[in-house]
Amino acid sequence: MKKIKSALISVFYKDGLEALANSLSAQGVQIYSTGGTQKHLEDLGHMVHAVEGLTDYPSILGGRVKTLHPKVFGGILARREEENDLLQLEEYDIPTIDLVVVDLYPFEETIAQTNDESSIIEKIDIGGISLIRAAAKNFKDTCVISSNHQYADFLHLYDAQDGALTKDQRKLFAAKAFATSSHYDTAIFNYFNRDESLDAFRESFDVSQTLRYGENPHQQASFHGNLDDYFDKLHGKALSFNNLVDIDAAVNVIAEFDEPSFAIMKHTNTCGLASAENNSIAYDKALACDPVSAFGGILITNKTIELELAEKIHELFCEVVIAPDFTADALNVLQGKKNRILLKQKVFDKPKKQYKSLLNGAIEQDYDAFMENGDDFTLVSERDVSVQEKEDLVFAIKAVKHLKSNGIALIANKQLIGMGCGQTSRVDALKQAITKAKGFGFKLEGAVMASDAFFPFPDCVQIAAEAGIVAISQPGGSIKDQDSIDACNKLGQAMVFTGTRHFKH
């Protein structure tokens, strides 16, 4: 145990500071402070020693230099077991500092609010980050609190242990401090490297939660990030690893649509998808696509869920329901299953990059944000597409874009009626889609088809024609494209090239 006798407090955020200062003062701790923090503490009635009185230097350069001084850092970094360190403290009249309470200028908040570079640069903390690192380095003698979110944990220990902390406890706060400083530096680096002039990868999350388990019960797992930025959780059990993976896929799918739409996800693939005049009808059409796979799935819509739709959903066992809002009576119905997770989706900006760990590193890429709108189609067949076929082909591309490759989507009237995904050949994906469609009673005559990648041979065109499919979308790019085009012309089908592949692995 080591008693805290002196503290340096300099914070941007004053929330929670009163309780902390009260406990320190009650233990007779000598408090040093500066600027706005000093005034705040004095206004609360605490005796405070100005840092300027310790250093004999005022705050200079518009506040850029306040605590960067040997009399401050010497008191923090001095090793209490080293005789020479103690002699130098005595020689230069440097008091020891046992506790450093410092947070950092709000850099991330500033870049979220403005593009003004001068304002952003001024929010790069220099003194604070230095104090945090110094105190954390000397955790054997000094404790550091680097965020007001740590006040409660500190006070729980401090008050229970009569104003003292153990070495292990100080080391834990040091680890939290280095987490604070590394996250801060990552945000600054990523700001300066916006144009990716440096070939380096940095990412940091300041919020984490432990999940029940990973992909399987024997795997431990955690989520790093703040889900509160994306959703309000209204009801249900804790989200699992697999829930989060499927929710991510669901959010990506529904983001493609503006008109009322509904998607049903299973193992990141869309097993039901439709657009209609309202989301209740869209749900009926989405569920019809594959009602078997919908069991235990993730449901998402881009419009408010009202009572009529809620009553339909309530009849289906599903893990998660996501919507931009729920009416009160709809929410009451859906809360009838205690474990069903209900998420109110917020408006947010999706990250522009994706990455995942593999081998001994990570791969990163741009998010596949490109979406064809029909105007960029290149007609390659003799037969043109009708207006309805063109609309369905755009819908089909939105559907196939989010299926595991190799992927095929069959569409009729903005409804997914058959899907093949995750197959090792495109022929197998098409056969799977046709089998599913027929198995759930859909007529394929007049339907359209989208493929996530080109056809290396004309076999898919021939199989599609035999099933009754009349229009096809594919990226093109095969050395045998002409074979597929010739097959379309022979069979009376329409074919458009998009020029964009949408692999998903």
Side-chain angles (χ1 to χ4, degrees), residues 104-120:
L104 300 171
Y105 291 159
F107 181 80
E108 288 180 284
E109 292 87 338
T110 302
I111 60 175
Q113 295 168 0
T114 181
N115 293 319
D116 179 56
E117 186 169 270
S118 62
S119 298
I120 291 170

Side-chain angles (χ1 to χ4, degrees), residues 426 451-457 474-479 481 501 503:
R426 202 155 300 282
S451 172
D452 64 341
F454 65 64
F455 298 129
F457 306 103
Q474 62 139 319
S478 168
I479 59 173
D481 274 345
R501 189 180 73 184
F503 267 169

Side-chain angles (χ1 to χ4, degrees), residues 408-441:
I408 292 287
L410 306 181
I411 304 297
N413 299 315
K414 297 185 180 179
Q415 177 186 17
L416 180 66
I417 60 173
M419 47 81 82
C421 58
Q423 300 300 310
T424 51
S425 81
R426 202 155 300 282
V427 169
D428 286 343
L430 176 55
K431 288 179 176 178
Q432 181 191 40
I434 292 171
T435 299
K436 273 186 166 290
K438 290 181 176 179
F440 291 112

